[in-house]
Amino acid sequence: MNIARICLKILTLFLITMFTINFIQERICYLSFINKEKMEKPLVEPEYIKITDKLTGYGYRLDSDNENVIIYFGGNYNIAYNMVGKYAHSFDCTFISPDYYGTQDSKGHINLKTMKKTALDAYDYVKEQYPNKKVIVIGHSYGTGMATYLASKRDVEILFVVSGFRDNADIYNRTTPVFYGPLKVFISNNIKTSTYAKSVNNKTYVIGSKADYTLPVSMQEKLCSSFPNAELKLFEDVEHSNYFKSKEVVDFIIDTIGLDHVDDQGDIEE
């Protein structure tokens, strides 16, 4: 009887521990979008967008004549205003980034269901506003999950997966290495990027770097193999947070899309 009671206490403690770790990790991810403040000096001034009655975001070059539109999903702490303010000037086409439902000015609650809805609603908005343009989807880090999900559900021209992850375990295990094998069942709202990848039929580029120790090359190789039509592109010395600060990476994306190169002021280079 005492042995059974001890086993029950151990099991209860184990379950409480696993659920608590999952809850904390999930909240850290969500709060990184909810509480992050807008940068004070963006390189370009982002334009506020009302995507639906409850979903908002920011964009740049909204009146561009270029045939492409980029939908961008950033990683943790990378809200739409800041991503547009930092990176949109590099791309000579319309650039749009949404804020997930329940974050920043978007109403509601953030969870896996509403994150998926964010991705689909952003795409539908783009196709309504720019019906004849090609949709390019870019995701970085945490944002690669919804970028890949979107590409699995809608017709996109090219998908760029920049330092992606296979599921939330890849992110959580960096600080709490407990979610392996069957223990992944304790992850709620699990973003299963590698599962979404199997339904992506368009051309995909999985981008990684040998200097990225957050989501390393080995992870990008495994993720790339989940896509039916993906090419792995590796760089030498780009750290995890610096992909879109790297001229080499940005030039690769620009050339792959077929955009003009622009200078630091957003003007087309001669």
Side-chain angles (χ1 to χ4, degrees):
M1 190 67 178
N2 289 335
I3 294 177
R5 187 179 294 111
I6 291 172
C7 290
L8 180 59
K9 288 183 177 179
I10 292 174
L11 176 60
T12 301
L13 180 60
F14 170 76
L15 293 174
I16 292 173
T17 300
M18 294 300 294
F19 284 123
T20 300
I21 293 173
N22 168 74
F23 175 79
I24 292 172
Q25 289 281 17
E26 183 179 280
R27 293 311 299 168
I28 289 173
C29 288
Y30 291 168
L31 288 172
S32 73
F33 296 104
I34 295 171
N35 293 337
K36 181 67 176 179
E37 296 183 356
K38 296 175 183 176
M39 62 190 302
E40 293 184 358
K41 296 181 180 179
L43 296 178
V44 296
E45 188 60 37
E47 300 179 57
Y48 181 80
I49 299 172
K50 191 84 170 177
I51 298 173
T52 70
D53 288 342
K54 296 183 178 181
L55 184 66
T56 64
Y58 288 87
Y60 188 62
R61 291 195 174 98
L62 298 182
D63 297 324
S64 171
D65 293 330
N66 191 279
E67 65 176 356
N68 299 287
V69 179
I70 291 174
I71 302 177
Y72 181 92
F73 297 89
N76 286 340
Y77 300 98
N78 292 327
I79 59 175
Y81 182 93
N82 294 354
M83 294 302 91
V84 173
K86 288 180 182 179
Y87 304 137
H89 71 283
S90 297
F91 301 95
D92 184 36
C93 66
T94 300
F95 187 105
I96 288 174
S97 183
D99 282 311
Y100 298 116
Y101 284 104
T103 71
Q104 299 298 306
D105 292 331
S106 296
K107 307 303 181 184
H109 300 281
I110 181 173
N111 54 45
L112 180 56
K113 181 179 180 180
T114 58
M115 290 173 73
K116 289 179 176 179
K117 181 172 171 56
T118 296
L120 298 181
D121 286 351
Y123 177 93
D124 293 344
Y125 168 86
V126 166
K127 292 304 291 184
E128 180 180 348
Q129 297 295 316
Y130 311 99
N132 299 318
K133 292 191 176 186
K134 300 175 183 178
V135 178
I136 310 297
V137 178
I138 302 176
H140 172 235
S141 191
Y142 192 76
T144 59
M146 288 306 101
T148 303
Y149 173 77
L150 173 55
S152 75
K153 296 296 184 180
R154 296 288 192 267
D155 182 23
V156 307
E157 187 72 14
I158 306 174
L159 170 65
F160 292 94
V161 177
V162 184
S163 191
F165 63 102
R166 294 165 296 177
D167 58 30
N168 282 25
D170 285 339
I171 298 174
Y172 294 177
N173 284 339
R174 292 185 58 247
T175 53
T176 53
V178 295
F179 297 105
Y180 294 101
L183 295 184
K184 290 183 181 182
V185 71
F186 290 99
I187 300 177
S188 60
N189 293 296
N190 194 2
I191 302 173
K192 300 180 180 180
T193 309
S194 58
T195 299
Y196 311 147
K198 296 175 182 178
S199 299
V200 176
N201 296 315
N202 59 277
K203 183 62 180 178
T204 301
Y205 294 90
V206 177
I207 297 175
S209 169
K210 296 178 182 178
D212 185 345
Y213 301 110
T214 301
L215 297 173
V217 167
S218 59
M219 193 176 296
Q220 306 316 306
E221 292 172 339
K222 293 174 182 176
L223 179 58
C224 187
S225 67
S226 299
F227 289 91
N229 183 27
E231 177 180 324
L232 182 64
K233 177 65 176 179
L234 299 178
F235 294 87
E236 290 292 329
D237 56 358
V238 183
E239 296 180 356
H240 182 72
S241 61
N242 292 339
Y243 283 95
F244 293 92
K245 297 177 183 177
S246 165
K247 187 177 186 303
E248 189 178 12
V249 174
V250 172
D251 283 351
F252 170 77
I253 295 175
I254 287 173
D255 291 340
T256 302
I257 298 173
L259 300 175
D260 288 320
H261 289 258
V262 296
D263 60 23
D264 291 339
Q265 285 70 48
D267 297 322
I268 296 176
E269 294 179 345
E270 299 296 336

